[in-house]
Amino acid sequence: MPAAVPRLLAFAGSLRQGSYNRRLIHVLVEGARTAGAEVTLIELRDYSLPVYDGDIEAAGMPDAVRQLQALMASHDGLLISTPEYNGSMPALVKNTLDWISRPTDAGGSGVALFQDKVAGIVSASPGPLGGLRSLLVLRDALAKLGLLVVPQQVAVGQAADKLPDYGILNDDRLRNGVHGVANAVVRHVRATLIESTSGAQP
């Protein structure tokens, strides 16, 4: 039987040009692709969303929400690189997750799009902790949506020195760690896909 090919959706929780996390997400994606996954890397600036507002939803769901929901539905898991803003994850990340979780065009639960899928998370920051506190908050938010978040995670501190460009992490230990996060996601997704196709028969 050919190995199942996991499909992962990846994004960084920052819009800034040259963002350390937009650089780091490329390292995480590289690890996932090396492990055998198909990865769709998106830029959240291409999916402009207002701050969640029930009145906006009632007037008609933004097209970007439907596009993101379709992407989430067609992938087996998430890869996220997040900054830390004031000890937590950015509003951009929370707002994106909140919009995706709203009811789908067909009337189904948006939360169901996340159920039993796998996530891998990393962070980068100019400070010594590397955005670690944002990972704690993001891990909890993703788990509440029903995702299995792999226990491996990496926070890259002093990111100005260690992430000079997109996809370049000039610290072998940290790069191996980021690839380890990706490997764990691919491994868990692949096991789930194999179980689902086999029917989990004893």
Side-chain angles (χ1 to χ4, degrees):
M1 177 186 297
V5 179
R7 301 190 69 236
L8 305 177
L9 180 64
F11 62 82
S14 177
L15 303 178
R16 182 177 68 85
Q17 290 290 342
S19 157
Y20 301 126
N21 285 279
R22 290 176 68 195
R23 297 177 186 183
L24 182 58
I25 193 65
H26 285 266
V27 181
L28 187 59
V29 167
E30 176 188 53
R33 287 174 174 160
T34 300
E38 293 181 2
V39 184
T40 304
L41 175 58
I42 63 172
E43 293 280 359
L44 291 184
R45 65 167 59 250
D46 295 332
Y47 301 87
S48 181
L49 294 172
V51 174
Y52 177 75
D53 181 338
D55 289 338
I56 293 175
E57 179 181 351
M61 197 71 82
D63 289 342
V65 175
R66 296 305 185 208
Q67 293 167 12
L68 287 167
Q69 287 179 327
L71 282 168
M72 193 67 243
S74 63
H75 289 78
D76 306 305
L78 278 175
L79 301 174
I80 302 175
S81 181
T82 179
E84 178 184 307
Y85 292 170
N86 298 318
S88 186
M89 66 177 171
L92 173 67
V93 177
K94 180 67 163 59
N95 193 53
T96 299
L97 297 174
D98 286 345
W99 272 115
I100 295 174
S101 74
R102 302 309 300 154
T104 66
D105 200 26
S109 168
V111 174
L113 300 175
F114 298 100
Q115 296 294 301
D116 301 320
K117 296 185 178 181
V118 185
I121 58 176
V122 296
S123 64
S125 165
L129 295 181
L132 180 62
R133 290 171 294 187
S134 68
L135 292 179
L136 300 176
V137 178
L138 178 58
R139 176 177 295 277
D140 186 57
L142 292 174
K144 283 183 170 66
L145 287 169
L147 288 125
L148 186 160
V149 188
V150 298
Q152 296 86 346
Q153 63 181 32
V154 175
V156 179
Q158 282 86 44
D161 297 325
K162 294 172 183 172
L163 288 160
D165 206 346
Y166 290 84
I168 298 176
L169 177 53
N170 57 19
D171 181 306
D172 289 343
R173 180 184 64 83
L174 289 172
R175 186 174 61 255
N176 290 339
V178 172
H179 285 187
V181 174
N183 287 336
V185 172
V186 172
R187 186 168 63 251
H188 280 283
V189 170
R190 186 169 280 140
T192 301
L193 292 175
I194 290 172
E195 181 178 334
S196 65
T197 55
S198 68
Q201 295 180 355

